[in-house]
Amino acid sequence: MKIGVFGGTFDPIHWGHLRSAEEVGETYRLDRVYFIPASIPPHKSGRTTTPARDRLQMVRLAVTGNPRFSVSTAELARPGLSYSIDTIREFSSKLKKGDSLYFIIGLDAFREIGTWKDFQEIFLLCNFIVTSRPGSKENDALKGTGVAVKKLFCYDSKRKHYRHRSGTRIHFIELTDIAISASEIRDLVRQGKSIRYLVPSSVEKFIKRRGLYGSRRG
Ligand code: ATP
């Protein structure tokens, strides 16, 4: 089994996330992609996020009907900040012989990996699929990650991926640009504007029903 893990705040989940997971899943022939809502992301701790159960429910609604997609509560079930290393350890401990793990992440977020808790161990345990960000032409996964990360990899120009001494790889994929962000959606809802066609209709209905992002005001 090739297993993808796709973490995020998902506040709320939108078509950009879903299409990105679909293209990655198809390109790398992943058997499953787990969407993993973070409870308290270390890098977003300054902002109050929507209650975890609401973000989780939106992810559940959004992935319904896609046999490759699943939801994992691995991060929500753990107390405190959500560190990727803990999630990766948990997933990798459940792998069977021949299985491999792929961590799916946007290029912007991957640039920060050198600051993540135990990042050296992360590279031993899983492969990365780094995704392009809308509007950016940058296609080098390691650019801007810093020397502490770069020195751990060599580039295989034939196969077009980076390789770690442990055998794990960093792939880069150019996605269809879908320039949607969760913050834009929250702003639109706050202003009483439409979010139709930016999120699945089940998610749109849930936001209205629960009055998220100030949707009951005005
Ligand atoms: P916010 O606007 O609140 O920062 P976001 O829309 O970027 O949120 P996150 O939950 O932080 O969403 O993102 C989870 C992952 O999805 C990250 O790896 C991010 O790079 C990726 N991602 C977010 N938006 C898109 C998009 N439009 N296309 C492709 N990938 C995306």
Side-chain angles (χ1 to χ4, degrees), residues 6-7 9-10 14 17 44 106 108 133 178 180-183 186:
F6 185 32
T9 322
F10 302 125
H14 53 69
H17 298 129
K44 288 193 181 176
D108 53 336
R133 284 293 289 181
I178 302 181
I180 302 174
S181 72
S183 35
R186 295 193 298 272

